[in-house]
Every structure is written in structure tokens, then in C-alpha cells.
Amino acid sequence: MFYDHQQIEKKWQKYWEDNQTYKTSDSTDKPKFYVLDMFPYPSGAGLHVGHPLGYIASDIYARFKRHQGFNVLHPVGYDSFGLPAEQYAIQTGTHPAITTEQNITRYEEQLRKIGFSFDWSREVRTSDASYYKWTQWIFIQLFHSWYNKDTDKAESIETLIKHFEEKGTEGLNANQNEELTFTSEEWKNKSEIEKEEILLNYRLAFRAETTVNWCPALGTVLANDEIKDGKSERGGYPVFQKKMMQWSMRISAYSERLLQGLKTLDWPQPLKDAQEYWIGKSQGAQVRFATENGETIEVFTTRPDTIFGATFMVLAPENPLVQNLTTDEQKTEVDNYIEETSKKTERDRMADVKNVSGVFTGSYAINPFTGKKIPVYISDYVLMGYGTGAVMAVPAHDERDHRFAKKFNLEIIKVVESDVDVQEESYDSKDSVCVNSDFLNGLNYKDAKSKIIAEIENKGIGHGTTNYRQRDAIFSRQRYWGEPVPIYYKDGMPYTLPNSALPLELPEVEKYLPTEDGDPPLGNAKTFAWDEANQKVVDTDLIDDKTIFPLELSTMPGWAGSSWYFLRYMDPNDDSVFAKKELTDYWGQVDLYIGGSEHATGHLLYSRFWNMFLKDRGYIEQNEPFQKLINQGMILGMSAFVDILRPHFKVKENSHISNANSKYVIVSKSDIQFINDNWLRLAEIKLKQIEPNTNSELDLEILKYIIRFDEIAKEFGYEDLNYNLGWNTFYDQFQENKHIDIKFLKGTSNDLDFEKLKIEGNPEFRDAILLWDNQTYVCNREVEKMSKSKYNVVNPDDICNEYGADGLRLYEMFLGPLEQSKPWNTQGLSGVYGFLKKFWNLYFNGDTFEVSDEEPTKEEFKILHTLIKKVLFDIENFSFNTSVSSFMIAVNELQKLKCNKRAILEPLAIIISPYAPHICEEVWNLLGNNWSIEFEKFPVLDESYLVEDEIDYPVSFNGKMKFKIKLAADLGKGEVEKIILENEDAKRYLDGKTVKNFIFVPKKIINIVS
């Protein structure tokens, strides 16, 4: 029977939509299972076949859990704010909302075509005001919260105010920007503005001056993961370090909880390691060094036991102390260095361990234990965001400090015993003892550390402490297409809008660039001011600083909406709360989260932080958002390349043609190699007019090239190839491996469709010429990341049309283990498609649907239950590729047996349906079931069918196998020996010899020794 995948898939996709088959119930009477894919951003390019890999895996698991009787939440939505749509708006004037809507429509068409079992009724979009109303609400809760270290959780800011009213700062143990001290009376006597300024020091959402990654071309602050090699990932624009007033989130308050929480999660270890590194917990001491000019430099060090070896200090260039410590003589040099450092991102500074640079401030600090004056430098290897932005440098025992000391000829003192010459290289060890360290001499690392911390505290110059690398998260973007921050400013102080005013909707603007005054694009809005008296947004020109106040012009960062979307899916249409408590209690954590490893730190840390905060404030019960997480690998593309030569030509006299040499000649590497090897001879023949030797094969081959280049020159309208320039200039125009779109290959071969490339390819190829006319040009191929920029993208729509969505789903799983990257090969789909046709035809006799109610044989039951056992194991272990192999084996075996038994084929359809839902729905329907297969109970494994009744024993004589015999599995040695020795084949091989030993290993071998 013909397998019409297109008709079948359209039919069932319509059925699922019309019947809302995958709509999730809010009833809590069934066990729940929450399966989630990482929030997709809807780009204009749409999906390629690499994108659905994780979605297919999660969909298989969601369908399997429905078969097991779970109430499954498997939602979808879009992370729809962000830079790409805004950049397009700046270039074209098209509103980002229009572009975003178009992109989402395209994504949804593609996702539906692949047959995902999403509950589309729960779709959320971060750019919808009904969604970002609650993102703004969470921001307000963060603003009105502080972190109490004594209770180890966030609390309402009202409890902090109460503490101030009763005790001032006495006994306060809070996360804060800077340590403040005042009494309750002093607090009560402060003005409203003074109180608000103090509270900003403690709020979890706060505004402060921060060093940021500023991209002037994009007009916004960028996160570290939006920058690559000192440039914006989007557009490749330069990025600078700059101090700005920014909104930040106090994620640092949660560092220890974020670290400890990892122990409870079933996540890949590399991902946990990445988060641990990012949080960067280290224990040591905070130590204050006095300076000659009265300033104090505070440092955090994990090795206070080496303080006797501190011979200089280094400050981060952006440390505020730099200006106070820089002498007049050093000011120019210091300012120039700060300017240069501003062009590097923190990531670049951390990565560049080899290059040593720095400038002396002109000032000296005093080592509190040696009493020596030590010079104070600035250098970009010290970061303001880690510790205090200052280090005590111990060059003998730190590699970077050592390189710095060698470059600037600074003193190096050994304070940890070793045989290493510390004048030549640093030595870092915790297994040795202290030397040259006064009262620490002879002590091991642990004892020395305890003793020096005690002495530091005794001297009153510091204390032991724990430090974290993780910094507070910047929460401002100077862009248009993002969530407005629900803040207005009165007397320069920020105040939150009332909940009744939410959502604060994104206003219309005439242009998406910053204002002429340098304000963010929201400054262009005509209606974006807050009327406090009437509690509403009004025209901007009405601002009077008395009753009508300016609103915050920055928008929230891209990670704001994606930090809590998993909660909104639980209750997506509620306008009274972000999600009902009974529903968040029921759905709890995401049970399975699948997505890319690129979110190892940013998204996952921010989501965990917001989740913990909402737990602290009593809005949800679960500590962690995602219990099990899997990072799927990438599907790689097979890129295609051609080699390009752009020869230098002579321009004809009085010609209008320029010698731009921009015309492409497509060549092979072997041609270039031949010209390279024989350039001198070629030039002799051409320039010196030396007659080629007609008896020389080499000269005749060279002549071929000369003639062909002359022909190409005429085709391009030039006089001749300019051989006078020499080989080097000629070769400079050779470009290896220039990407071409894989659609310009002929069929599934590597042959270039040159005419199609000229007509449909990039304009630069329109006038291209093949070096040799009518040749078959074989493109170079290479496996790379699949991406539009590499022209190796395969559209899933094309695959669905030709091989079906079920074919695409099965093939992506069949390619290899989910977590591994693997190359795409369209040719491989034919095998999977062949399997689907075999499976389909099990239910047909020719063109007639024919399924028997006859009892299956034991062999048929064995095939079925072998498959059930394998698939149950594979799905729970996410080994989807081996399940597909097992499907193929089972169908082949059933086909050989000509099995058409209902008792086999019905459960077979259920087993395969999570992987290939369309075809299984169709055969389920043909089997007489007028309801969806989706909620049918997964077949129960019966191990009794897997027990062997008979064993096919190999029979050996003196260790050499001669024949096989089937025997009952429960026979003992005596019974087996009797049967074998009476067997005619055995008698023939024994040939009258006496049996010396009869070896019998049950269910394995029989060996007769004669």
C-alpha cells in the first residue's frame, strides 16, 4: 500500500489542532510531569534541521509520559524581545513588533509541521504586555526586598525599615553595596530622599554606578555573553568599559545558595562546573594596607599566609582609588592606560594571560607585616568586579604577579619552601611550609592561614572572609525593544509604579535610536511620564517635577522575561497573579529541561536566582526551577566550498574597464598548484616569447593555461593577464574555501551546479567563469556548525515534504546519542523512510488493510516484548537512537514472519507513536479506534515471553564446533549427554572413539573430549 505521508500528516495535524489533543488539564488528580524546551528566540531565518533536535527528544518523552498516565505539561512560547528585531527596525523603520510577529508565525508553521505535542493554548511571548506585566511585577517585588543574612533569605523591605526605626544599623546582617552605620534616631531624622538613598544600598533591585560593557554603535550596554573578541556579537561593533548609572540585581546575595543548590540537581557535570566557576567561591582574608598619602587599599586574598612576600600592589584601572593615588608626574601615563583598558572587555582581560602591561601610580603602600614600602601599580589583569579591585602581589608564588614583577623589575621574595628558583619562575603550592615569614616559619598552609588571619584580626586591619567571583547582574539596556522598567523619578530618587498601573506598556517612538541628548530611545516617546496624582501615564512634555515625573528610559535586559517563563506556563492566562499558588505547587519543578549548553551560566543562573527569590517571598514552594537538564548536541552542516582566483589583468588602451580584478575564476587547488610549480616557465613562454617545446608534455600543458587565461581576459573585457606582476601577486588573489550555498550542488552529489550558482547565487558570482569550460567541478566539503552564515542550512520544511515529519523525527534521533554533535546527511533519510514504509505495510495485504485477530505465536510475542523492554530502557536513559534501531529490527523480523496479528500490531503502534506520531495515529485509526493513540496505556512488559524454551547449543568435539542442536532449556547434564551421544551426527564425529569427558555449560556450550 502506498504510504502517503503528506496526506497523513496534514490530516492528523489538523485533527490535533481541532480537538486540542495536547491541551493540558489543570486538574491535580493525576501525577504530573513537566517537560520544557529552552525558550526559543524567533529569528527571521526560521528553523533549520539542527534546531528541532532537542524539541524532538522532549516531545518523545512528553508523549511517552502521557502513555504512562501522567498529566503532562509540554508548553511552547517565544523569547520575543531582543536586539535583532530592534536592529532591523533601526535599519528599515519597521516596528519590532511587526518583525517579531512575522518571525513567530514562521516558527509556529514549522513547529506544527513537525508534529510537536505542545499545548499551544499556553503559548507565551515575552513581548506581550499581558506577560511582561508580571515581569514588571517581579521587578517591583525585588525592589521592595532586601537580603537578611541571619535568616538567609529575601524579606520585605518593610522589615528592614522596622529594624532601622528600632535599632538603626545595630545588629544588622544584610547584603549591601557599602557598610553604613547610623542609629535609630539618626534614621528617624533623615529626610525622605535620604532614607530612599539608604534603602537603595540594600534593595535586591537597585541603581548604582557600575562598570559596564558599552557599545556606542548599538547604543546599549551588553552582557559578557553578547561580546566576542572585544566586539558585539550582533554586528561586530567595538565595545568599551564605561561607568554608568545602571539598574542591577543583587544575585551576589544568593551566591552560596546557588552553589549548594547544584548538589540537588540532575544536570550534566560540565554545566555544574561552569556555574561553580562563574560563582567562584574562595575563602581567605580581607586586609587593609595603609598608603603614604593617607588612603587605605583593601584587598581580598586567598593566600594571606604569603603576605610576607607581598612586594607590590596592583589596582584595577577602574578602581576609584586610582585617581587619589596617582601623582602628578604619573597622571598622563595612568590616564592613557585607563583609556586603552576601556577598549577591552573583562572576558578579554581574563583570557589574555600572556601579555603583561601596567603603569606605576607614583604612590606606595606599607606592607603591614614587613613595614616595607611597596609600589602601587595599575594593570588590566586586576578586575574591579572580583574582590575589591586590588591585589597584594606575591610574585614568588603567583604566575601573573611573577610576570609583572619581571617586566617591571620588582622584588621577588620566596615565602613558601621549594627547590624552585623563584627569580626565574613562580611556585604555587599548599603542600609546603612557610619561610622568610617571621612567626609563620615552619607552619604548613592550613596552620599558617589560621594564624595569620588571627593576627590580621588582632591588628584590626582586616578579617577572615569568604568571597565570590559572581557580580551583581546589570539589569538595564539603553534600547527600545524590551520591557519598560516600572520606575519613575521624584527628586532624583526611584519609586515603583503601583501594581494597578501595570503593565507599563512600551510607548510608540518616532525612531529607535537614542535621543539627540543621548537618552535611550524611550526618550523619543511623546507619552511617557507618570502622573502621580492621577496614577496614570501622560504626555512627556507635562513633566513638572511636582506631580508629573519622568519614567525610567532604560528597558530590561533580554534575560528578564526568560528568567521566569517556566512559571507562567503553569497559569498563562491569569490576570490576577503571575500563577496561582495551587498550580505552582502542583506543577512544581520542571522535571525535564532540554536545551543548548550555551546557557550554562547566564540564563540558568538568573532563572535559579529569581526562582529562589520567589520562594523566599512565599510565592512558590520549590527551591530550584529545573530538576533534570539535558544539553543536546548540535546537528552539524556539511558546508560546500569553491576555490576562487581573481587574476590581475592588463586594461585595454582607452578602455572604460577598471583593473579592479573583482571577477571570479573558479579553480581547483590542483590548478593553482600546477601554476605555482611552473610559474617561471609559464612567464618565459608568455613574456619572453619563447616557443614552447612541442615535444614536452609540460610545455603543452602550460600552453593550455596561457591560452585559457587569454580567453578569460577577453570574456571579461580585458586585454591580457598581467604576467609582469609575478607569481606572488597572482597568488595573492587566490581564495581557498569560499562558502557557497549547498543548494548549488547537483542532487546529493558534490558537483557544482555552475549555471544555477550564476543565476541564483550572490551577485559576486553572476559574472564568474569556470577555469575549464564544461568541466564537472567537485566542491570541497567540510563539516561545520549549521548556520545561515555558512550557507549549509537544510530547511526542515523541505525534509518534511519529501520524507515526512515522522521521517525527520526518526532520522534526527537515529543520528546518534542526544548529547553528542553529529553531521547531517540528507541521503541517510532514505533508510528511515524505507523503515516507515515497511512499518506501514505490516498493516496491509497489498492495497487492502488486513489485520487478523488470530492469537500471535510465541516468537511474535517475543519480538514485541523484546522491543518493549528495550524502548522502556532507552527512553528513560534518553538513548533515543538505539530505540530507532530496535524499531527497525522488530519490523524486519515481523515482516519476515508475515505477522499481521492485532495483538502485536496495536501495541507496536503505541510503542513507536512517541517517535513517529502521524503514521501511528493513522494505523491506530485504521485498526478501528476512533480516538487518538496519544493517551493509550504504554504496553506492559511480560518477561515470560523473553524466557528461552529452547537453546540452540553449539556442539564441539575436542574444542572444535561441528554442528548445532536445539534442546529444551531446562534439561540437565545427564539428559543432554544421553541425547547427544545417541545423535547420529555425534556418532559420526566420534567415529567409535571413547568419550573421555562430556563438558556441559547450561544454555551455552557442549564439548565432547575423546
Side-chain angles (χ1 to χ4, degrees):
M1 177 67 175
F2 173 63
Y3 167 48
D4 187 350
H5 67 263
Q6 290 193 356
Q7 182 273 328
I8 290 169
E9 290 175 0
K10 285 176 185 173
K11 169 186 172 181
W12 288 103
Q13 286 166 16
K14 185 176 187 304
Y15 174 91
W16 296 330
E17 186 174 356
D18 290 348
N19 291 275
Q20 295 191 60
T21 302
Y22 308 122
K23 185 175 174 62
T24 306
S25 169
D26 280 335
S27 172
T28 60
D29 58 351
K30 288 170 68 176
K32 69 91 186 183
F33 201 88
Y34 189 174
V35 182
L36 185 62
D37 303 292
M38 286 191 184
F39 222 13
Y41 174 80
S43 74
L47 297 171
H48 60 63
V49 293
H51 291 127
L53 179 67
Y55 300 161
I56 295 169
S58 64
D59 196 58
I60 289 169
Y61 208 84
R63 290 176 181 275
F64 172 66
K65 285 296 178 183
R66 290 191 194 99
H67 286 309
Q68 287 192 317
F70 285 87
N71 185 18
V72 174
L73 177 56
H74 186 40
V76 69
Y78 302 97
D79 191 7
S80 48
F81 274 130
L83 276 173
E86 184 161 12
Q87 282 302 105
Y88 188 74
I90 291 169
Q91 293 162 10
T92 65
T94 306
H95 196 289
I98 296 172
T99 309
T100 300
E101 181 64 36
Q102 291 169 344
N103 294 348
I104 288 175
T105 299
R106 172 81 180 118
Y107 258 56
E108 190 163 317
E109 286 173 356
Q110 291 184 293
L111 291 171
R112 286 185 182 273
K113 196 166 188 175
I114 300 171
F116 293 119
S117 63
F118 294 130
D119 179 356
W120 292 96
S121 71
R122 291 177 181 256
E123 178 187 310
V124 300
R125 303 177 182 185
T126 56
S127 56
D128 281 354
S130 62
Y131 178 85
Y132 68 69
K133 165 185 177 176
W134 296 107
T135 310
Q136 292 171 337
W137 179 86
I138 294 171
F139 173 88
I140 290 172
Q141 307 315 305
L142 283 154
F143 182 86
H144 291 296
S145 299
W146 66 294
Y147 200 88
N148 187 338
K149 288 184 177 181
D150 287 335
T151 59
D152 201 21
K153 68 176 188 177
E155 296 180 3
S156 167
I157 203 76
E158 294 302 321
T159 64
L160 179 65
I161 293 171
K162 184 179 179 183
H163 187 105
F164 289 159
E165 289 173 345
E166 294 176 354
K167 303 177 183 178
T169 55
E170 183 186 348
L172 183 66
N173 192 9
N175 275 88
Q176 56 203 344
N177 297 343
E178 59 178 306
E179 194 169 341
L180 304 178
T181 304
F182 51 83
T183 65
S184 61
E185 281 305 309
E186 287 172 328
W187 167 260
K188 291 172 185 175
N189 291 329
K190 291 184 184 297
S191 67
E192 180 185 345
I193 293 176
E194 289 173 326
K195 287 180 178 179
E196 287 299 323
E197 192 166 8
I198 288 170
L199 291 174
L200 272 180
N201 189 60
Y202 302 93
R203 295 184 189 274
L204 292 187
F206 63 95
R207 195 166 179 262
E209 189 173 65
T210 310
T211 300
V212 297
N213 301 314
W214 174 250
C215 181
L218 294 176
T220 192
V221 170
L222 297 177
N224 284 334
D225 54 9
E226 295 173 315
I227 303 162
K228 187 175 181 181
D229 300 327
K231 295 183 178 178
S232 62
E233 197 167 48
R234 177 68 54 180
Y237 302 112
V239 176
F240 301 90
Q241 298 287 289
K242 181 179 178 180
K243 284 193 173 181
M244 295 177 66
M245 286 297 291
Q246 294 284 297
W247 283 99
S248 292
M249 290 285 174
R250 205 179 298 280
I251 190 174
S252 61
Y254 285 81
S255 291
E256 186 63 26
R257 285 170 63 183
L258 289 168
L259 202 57
Q260 295 304 318
L262 291 172
K263 297 174 183 177
T264 68
L265 302 177
D266 184 4
W267 288 13
Q269 193 57 46
L271 194 153
K272 289 186 177 185
D273 292 343
Q275 293 219 349
E276 283 186 15
Y277 177 79
W278 189 265
I279 295 167
K281 181 179 181 179
S282 50
Q283 293 176 307
Q286 207 95 350
V287 189
R288 292 185 292 276
F289 285 68
T291 65
E292 288 187 316
N293 68 354
E295 294 287 345
T296 299
I297 302 173
E298 191 163 10
V299 303
F300 169 78
T301 175
T302 59
R303 294 298 304 269
D305 56 302
T306 65
I307 197 166
F308 285 92
T311 57
F312 60 99
M313 303 195 78
V314 187
L315 306 182
E318 56 272 51
N319 192 314
L321 285 172
V322 171
Q323 297 306 318
N324 298 335
L325 291 172
T326 301
T327 61
D328 292 341
E329 295 80 7
Q330 294 298 113
K331 182 169 175 50
T332 300
E333 198 175 352
V334 167
D335 288 347
N336 290 341
Y337 188 82
I338 292 172
E339 172 67 22
E340 283 303 307
T341 303
S342 74
K343 299 173 185 176
K344 299 179 183 180
T345 66
E346 284 196 0
R347 184 173 290 177
D348 293 336
R349 287 161 63 178
M350 289 168 68
D352 189 9
V353 297
K354 297 296 181 186
N355 294 318
V356 178
S357 65
V359 175
F360 179 42
T361 64
S363 291
Y364 291 85
I366 310 298
N367 184 317
F369 285 92
T370 67
K372 288 184 179 179
K373 288 171 51 178
I374 55 177
V376 180
Y377 283 77
I378 65 169
S379 177
D380 62 10
Y381 81 88
V382 179
L383 304 176
M384 192 61 212
Y386 181 67
T388 62
V391 299
M392 64 171 212
V394 183
H397 307 294
D398 180 273
E399 188 178 353
R400 276 199 163 184
D401 292 348
H402 191 276
R403 280 199 296 268
F404 196 92
K406 293 294 281 186
K407 175 157 185 171
F408 293 99
N409 198 28
L410 299 168
E411 187 178 15
I412 300 172
I413 301 173
K414 177 192 287 191
V415 290
V416 176
E417 183 59 61
S418 74
D419 295 330
V420 173
D421 181 359
V422 295
Q423 301 306 316
E424 298 303 319
E425 61 179 300
S426 65
Y427 173 76
D428 182 17
S429 172
K430 294 179 181 177
D431 298 325
S432 191
V433 297
C434 295
V435 294
N436 300 321
S437 299
D438 197 7
F439 57 86
L440 298 181
N441 287 340
L443 295 179
N444 62 32
Y445 163 72
K446 185 178 179 182
D447 293 341
K449 188 172 182 178
S450 297
K451 189 164 187 177
I452 194 68
I453 290 175
E455 191 58 29
I456 288 167
E457 292 174 348
N458 185 48
K459 278 177 171 281
I461 58 170
H463 54 87
T465 187
T466 299
N467 197 42
Y468 299 89
R469 180 185 295 110
Q470 178 173 247
R471 290 197 303 169
D472 290 325
I474 293 171
F475 199 73
S476 299
R477 292 292 183 272
Q478 288 65 44
R479 299 301 301 236
Y480 172 74
W481 192 234
E483 299 93 333
V485 178
I487 288 287
Y488 67 97
Y489 291 93
K490 182 165 64 174
D491 297 323
M493 282 292 115
Y495 292 82
T496 57
L497 297 182
N499 291 338
S500 60
L502 303 182
L504 172 61
E505 295 199 36
L506 202 58
E508 294 296 323
V509 294
E510 292 180 357
K511 57 182 180 178
Y512 306 103
L513 292 167
T515 67
E516 292 178 2
D517 296 331
D519 286 333
L522 291 187
N524 293 310
K526 293 179 179 177
T527 303
F528 205 60
W530 179 247
D531 182 342
E532 191 178 54
N534 295 300
Q535 299 281 285
K536 64 179 182 179
V537 176
V538 295
D539 290 349
T540 306
D541 58 11
L542 296 176
I543 292 173
D544 60 9
D545 289 336
K546 292 177 183 176
T547 59
I548 298 176
F549 304 102
L551 286 159
E552 171 63 58
L553 299 181
S554 293
T555 51
M556 297 187 194
W559 57 267
S562 63
S563 290
W564 73 281
Y565 74 108
F566 49 91
L567 294 168
R568 187 60 175 172
Y569 282 140
M570 299 175 185
D571 192 13
N573 302 309
D574 202 318
D575 195 46
S576 60
V577 288
F578 71 88
K580 292 186 187 73
K581 182 72 163 46
E582 59 267 29
L583 290 176
T584 62
D585 287 353
Y586 171 63
W587 290 112
Q589 291 177 302
V590 174
D591 297 286
L592 175 63
Y593 197 32
I594 296 183
S597 59
E598 65 273 16
H599 299 294
T601 51
H603 159 63
L604 291 173
L605 276 172
Y606 299 144
S607 297
R608 295 178 65 212
F609 160 44
W610 276 34
N611 193 92
M612 287 177 181
F613 165 73
L614 291 170
K615 166 76 163 63
D616 286 352
R617 294 303 312 274
Y619 299 115
I620 60 175
E621 285 303 314
Q622 60 276 10
N623 262 316
E624 292 281 350
F626 316 116
Q627 180 54 37
K628 182 173 182 63
L629 188 151
I630 294 177
N631 292 139
Q632 85 273 11
M634 285 192 296
I635 287 184
L636 305 171
M638 193 72 168
S639 301
F641 307 89
V642 294
D643 294 328
I644 299 296
L645 189 64
R646 290 189 284 181
H648 280 277
F649 293 105
K650 291 179 183 175
V651 181
K652 291 178 181 177
E653 194 174 345
N654 301 321
S655 171
H656 67 281
I657 299 171
S658 69
N659 191 12
N661 301 309
S662 60
K663 306 292 187 180
Y664 284 176
V665 179
I666 299 177
V667 299
S668 68
K669 289 185 177 70
S670 59
D671 289 319
I672 293 295
Q673 188 61 50
F674 180 84
I675 299 168
N676 181 18
D677 293 343
N678 300 287
W679 179 262
L680 291 176
R681 180 61 178 160
L682 187 150
E684 277 184 344
I685 294 171
K686 182 65 181 177
L687 297 177
K688 297 181 180 178
Q689 301 296 308
I690 295 173
E691 286 293 324
N693 182 353
T694 55
N695 293 321
S696 164
E697 290 186 14
L698 177 63
D699 275 14
L700 292 175
E701 188 70 14
I702 289 170
L703 192 58
K704 267 176 55 182
Y705 279 93
I706 291 173
I707 293 168
R708 181 58 184 145
F709 279 126
D710 288 347
E711 291 172 350
I712 289 171
K714 289 183 176 65
E715 282 191 63
F716 283 157
Y718 294 105
E719 179 182 339
D720 196 356
L721 187 66
N722 196 346
Y723 295 91
N724 283 309
L725 293 172
W727 165 249
N728 288 336
T729 307
F730 184 87
Y731 187 79
D732 281 345
Q733 300 299 308
F734 175 59
Q735 183 179 346
E736 287 185 285
N737 280 357
K738 182 172 181 62
H739 280 95
I740 61 160
D741 199 305
I742 56 174
K743 70 182 180 182
F744 298 124
L745 300 179
K746 292 181 179 178
T748 57
S749 74
N750 295 333
D751 297 345
L752 175 66
D753 189 333
F754 181 59
E755 292 307 315
K756 186 177 180 182
L757 175 68
K758 289 185 66 166
I759 295 168
E760 299 179 21
N762 292 341
E764 57 198 348
F765 283 107
R766 298 291 158 83
D767 296 324
I769 288 177
L770 282 174
L771 180 59
W772 304 112
D773 284 333
N774 303 316
Q775 78 172 126
T776 297
Y777 186 89
V778 180
C779 293
N780 311 320
R781 303 300 300 274
E782 187 178 315
V783 173
E784 296 185 292
K785 179 181 178 181
M786 189 174 283
S787 84
K788 191 177 177 183
S789 65
K790 299 183 187 301
Y791 302 100
N792 60 3
V793 166
V794 177
N795 189 328
D797 296 0
D798 298 336
I799 302 301
C800 288
N801 291 337
E802 188 170 353
Y803 297 99
D806 288 339
L808 173 67
R809 292 168 65 102
L810 284 167
Y811 180 62
E812 294 218 3
M813 293 298 97
F814 186 56
L815 278 172
L818 178 62
E819 296 91 342
Q820 292 181 12
S821 294
K822 43 259 177 184
W824 177 269
N825 181 2
T826 301
Q827 292 168 289
L829 275 151
S830 58
V832 167
Y833 192 64
F835 155 73
L836 285 169
K837 289 193 287 187
K838 282 184 182 180
F839 171 65
W840 175 251
N841 281 305
L842 281 177
Y843 298 80
F844 290 86
N845 183 2
D847 288 341
T848 305
F849 180 80
E850 189 176 287
V851 175
S852 165
D853 288 324
E854 183 184 344
E855 180 70 10
T857 65
K858 185 168 185 189
E859 188 174 1
E860 289 167 336
F861 272 128
K862 181 183 176 183
I863 293 168
L864 175 67
H865 286 273
T866 299
L867 181 62
I868 293 170
K869 184 173 184 177
K870 178 67 174 148
V871 171
L872 284 170
F873 177 84
D874 285 347
I875 288 184
E876 292 295 359
N877 290 278
F878 304 95
S879 301
F880 303 114
N881 57 316
T882 53
S883 277
V884 179
S885 299
S886 299
F887 297 156
M888 294 175 174
I889 292 167
V891 167
N892 282 338
E893 290 176 341
L894 292 171
Q895 187 182 51
K896 287 175 188 175
L897 296 175
K898 295 184 169 52
C899 174
N900 71 338
K901 315 288 176 55
R902 178 181 294 274
I904 300 297
L905 297 188
E906 267 197 347
L908 181 66
I910 297 170
I911 295 166
I912 295 177
S913 66
Y915 292 77
H918 306 85
I919 192 173
C920 292
E921 287 276 24
E922 183 68 11
V923 298
W924 182 254
N925 185 247
L926 290 170
L927 285 162
N929 304 301
N930 58 2
W931 59 90
S932 172
I933 198 173
E934 188 66 19
F935 301 99
E936 286 301 302
K937 188 176 180 183
F938 200 82
V940 176
L941 172 64
D942 187 341
E943 294 270 9
S944 67
Y945 289 112
L946 306 183
V947 176
E948 298 284 356
D949 288 339
E950 287 187 327
I951 305 296
D952 198 12
Y953 280 104
V955 182
S956 299
F957 292 80
N958 297 318
K960 294 183 180 179
M961 202 274 283
K962 296 297 184 182
F963 66 91
K964 289 187 175 183
I965 186 170
K966 286 189 182 296
L967 297 174
D970 57 355
L971 292 177
K973 181 179 179 182
E975 295 167 300
V976 170
E977 185 172 358
K978 185 174 184 297
I979 293 168
I980 293 297
L981 294 181
E982 289 176 357
N983 181 275
E984 291 301 320
D985 286 333
K987 289 177 182 178
R988 183 159 44 86
Y989 285 115
L990 276 170
D991 194 23
K993 295 174 186 172
T994 303
V995 175
K996 295 179 181 176
N997 193 9
F998 188 89
I999 301 169
F1000 173 65
V1001 180
K1003 300 182 181 180
K1004 291 189 176 178
I1005 62 165
I1006 297 167
N1007 185 31
I1008 299 169
V1009 181
S1010 59

